[in-house]
């Protein structure tokens, strides 16, 4: 049973997930979204607790174990598209965010919460939550106790507020054995969503991504121009 956590006062219209070409191909071929284990994230303070921060030294072993008991699918929750949400600053070109899946807010929630993953007998107690991330000023704060939350996977440092992040979370009483799991949400040709191409890409890269997307029978139907295309005109210069 899925439970909503930190329900927003006002729901933004879309839930958006950014993809490399490889990840998008995997979704279009399978209809599955990826839930990585939290210890695979780049943010070292992922799932940190207030008690961790109150100690002079963070118990990294305990924090790592906590991360390994969380699977998190992260989405951008917004109504209007912005340049800031597209990030092209990756060391390797193949890691660039070249595509985005854009779902209607409630529709994606329905797709996910009507689906499930069989974790077998090694994870007997698995809680399922979804909702907006809460951003708290934890760096140097003298009032850490005021920032306590029941679900550590839904709290991040306020410096990340621009992300407007929304999460689907599996939380287990024991470590998840795999570094990530995929959740089947439906036939990608029948689900309601749109695929956007990153409008900040260089001219040749943008046009190549368009050609690749349109060569896929599902991608061709689901493609929709970014609202920034009219201004940036990436296919022209």
């Amino acid at each position: 049973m899925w439970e909503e956590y930190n329900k927003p006062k006002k729901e933004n219209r879309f839930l958006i997930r950014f993809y490399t070409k490889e990840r998008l191909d995997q979704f279009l071929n399978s209809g599955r979204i990826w839930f990585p284990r939290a210890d695979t994230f780049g943010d070292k303070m992922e799932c940190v607790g207030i008690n961790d921060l109150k100690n002079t030294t963070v118990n990294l072993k305990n924090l790592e174990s906590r991360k390994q008991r969380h699977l998190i699918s992260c989405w951008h929750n917004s109504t209007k598209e912005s340049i800031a949400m597209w990030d092209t600053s990756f060391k390797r070109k193949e890691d660039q965010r070249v595509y985005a899946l854009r779902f209607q807010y409630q529709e994606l929630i329905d797709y996910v919460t009507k689906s499930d993953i069989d974790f077998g007998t090694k994870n007997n107690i698995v809680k399922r939550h979804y909702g907006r991330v809460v951003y708290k000023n934890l760096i140097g704060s003298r009032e850490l106790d005021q920032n306590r939350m029941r679900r550590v996977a839904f709290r991040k440092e306020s410096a990340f507020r621009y992300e407007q992040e929304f999460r689907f979370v599996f939380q287990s009483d024991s470590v998840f054995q795999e570094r990530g799991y995929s959740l089947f949400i439906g036939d990608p040709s029948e689900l309601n969503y749109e695929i956007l191409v990153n409008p900040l890409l260089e001219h040749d890269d943008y046009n190549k991504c368009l050609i690749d997307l349109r060569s896929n029978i599902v991608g061709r139907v689901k493609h929709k121009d970014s609202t920034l295309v009219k201004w940036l005109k990436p296919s022209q210069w």
Side-chain angles (χ1 to χ4, degrees), residues 3 115 138 150:
E3 295 182 16
S115 306
L138 303 177
R150 288 186 296 113

Side-chain angles (χ1 to χ4, degrees), residues 25-48:
D25 287 342
Q26 290 173 356
F27 174 78
L28 292 178
N29 291 329
S30 69
R32 293 179 175 273
I33 59 175
W34 185 243
F35 278 79
R37 213 169 55 184
D39 63 315
T40 66
F41 288 7
D43 183 1
K44 294 181 179 180
M45 301 302 283
E46 187 68 54
C47 293
V48 70

Side-chain angles (χ1 to χ4, degrees), residues 63-75:
L63 178 57
E64 193 71 6
S65 175
R66 189 182 308 138
K67 292 179 182 181
Q68 292 173 354
R69 299 196 302 271
H70 286 82
L71 304 174
I72 306 174
S73 180
C74 306
W75 296 75

